[in-house]
Amino acid sequence: MNALRPPKLLVMLLMLSFLSSQVLDVGGQQRGNVARMVVWQPKPGMDHDFEEGYKRHLGWHRQNGDSWSWNGWTIISGERDGYFVDGTFFHAWSDLDSPVSPAADGADNAVNVVPYAEVRSVAVYEAVPALTNFGIQQLSSPLLTFCYFDVPPGRAAEFESLLGAELRSSQPGATKYALLRPANGVTAYLLLLPAEKSSDFAMQAEFTSRLLQAVARNAKSTPLIERFRAETARYRPDLSYAPSEKPK
């Protein structure tokens, strides 16, 4: 019988495959697990112009009845200090086929946003449901830390398995997190860690250090994480949009 028993890694992959199209939000409601994120670098001296233009563009989304929510953050630490990140989360893959008026959206973006900033990346991710306890409400936490893991090609399954083992060994609910698997536009995994205040960074540093040590200790061969970096962003409610919200 033992010869017919599937390896632990295969069992993990089957579980992740079964869950890959759904994430359960608080209250047990099913939601999508796909996210799209854009990184902007305001042009020198144009931060204010960029923000005002971005607000006008969010107004376009509001006026055109966009059903997607858009969250915005300003990065306040790390290599990209001062950059702006926007993202829309918890979609099904099929949602990406029907954004609101793509041509008109692009035209408005070209008038109100593009003159004041450079697009540095456009990425699509999918949350790994088994390695995510992060709800919609965490997106509007005052601070959000982005942790990036560069994993060698072909070793994603091993990385998710080892990281998952360490996350599951943590005290349930003690730390909120979402692991995003790169799908298009980027190759690094992204771990999201919300924070209420700057002193929470100490707990986050301890948390990520434990994850890194566990993966390094249990990797099968050569280093499984080629590079790790972290940066923190401040949530910008004035540069965010939800369909039910009135203009700010």
Side-chain angles (χ1 to χ4, degrees):
M1 293 296 291
N2 288 342
L4 299 177
R5 183 178 299 168
K8 290 183 179 179
L9 181 57
L10 177 58
V11 172
M12 171 64 71
L13 290 175
L14 291 172
M15 291 175 62
L16 292 177
S17 176
F18 176 76
L19 292 170
S20 65
S21 63
Q22 58 182 354
V23 178
L24 296 182
D25 198 357
V26 176
Q29 294 183 335
Q30 183 174 321
R31 69 185 190 220
N33 68 325
V34 177
R36 181 177 183 272
M37 300 178 70
V38 181
V39 178
W40 298 86
Q41 182 182 17
K43 294 178 181 178
M46 290 189 172
D47 297 72
H48 178 73
D49 294 320
F50 166 74
E51 292 185 3
E52 292 304 309
Y54 193 84
K55 289 176 185 177
R56 292 193 297 272
H57 185 58
L58 289 181
W60 180 92
H61 283 268
R62 184 176 295 107
Q63 292 164 13
N64 285 271
D66 190 1
S67 62
W68 295 8
S69 293
W70 294 90
N71 297 87
W73 298 269
T74 296
I75 298 176
I76 59 172
S77 71
E79 301 168 0
R80 303 189 297 181
D81 179 37
Y83 284 32
F84 178 78
V85 179
D86 69 35
T88 183
F89 297 79
F90 303 122
H91 291 283
W93 278 108
S94 58
D95 291 349
L96 302 186
D97 296 331
S98 53
V100 61
S101 305
D105 183 10
D108 187 85
N109 202 38
V111 170
N112 286 304
V113 185
V114 173
Y116 312 114
E118 302 285 352
V119 175
R120 291 308 180 194
S121 70
V122 180
V124 177
Y125 297 90
E126 56 180 350
V128 181
L131 306 182
T132 296
N133 66 3
F134 186 115
I136 293 174
Q137 65 275 18
Q138 270 78 50
L139 290 172
S140 56
S141 297
L143 300 165
L144 187 64
T145 296
F146 304 142
C147 300
Y148 296 91
F149 301 83
D150 289 325
V151 176
R155 301 186 70 186
E158 182 186 357
F159 171 74
E160 291 182 20
S161 177
L162 294 180
L163 198 71
E166 184 62 28
L167 288 172
R168 285 189 296 275
S169 71
S170 303
Q171 183 178 347
T175 301
K176 295 294 183 182
Y177 50 81
L179 182 67
L180 304 187
R181 178 191 297 135
N184 190 272
V186 292
T187 57
Y189 276 83
L190 172 57
L191 181 69
L192 301 177
L193 300 174
E196 292 296 317
K197 54 190 182 302
S198 296
S199 58
D200 291 339
F201 297 161
M203 179 181 64
Q204 289 185 351
E206 180 181 352
F207 180 75
T208 54
S209 176
R210 190 171 71 249
L211 294 180
L212 291 168
Q213 290 175 23
V215 171
R217 183 171 59 249
N218 297 306
K220 293 180 179 178
S221 56
T222 56
L224 186 52
I225 298 174
E226 295 180 327
R227 183 178 184 231
F228 171 80
R229 66 182 177 87
E231 61 191 13
T232 295
R234 176 170 57 87
Y235 183 59
R236 297 295 303 271
D238 57 327
L239 299 179
S240 300
Y241 161 78
S244 59
E245 290 181 346
K246 296 180 180 179
K248 293 180 174 64

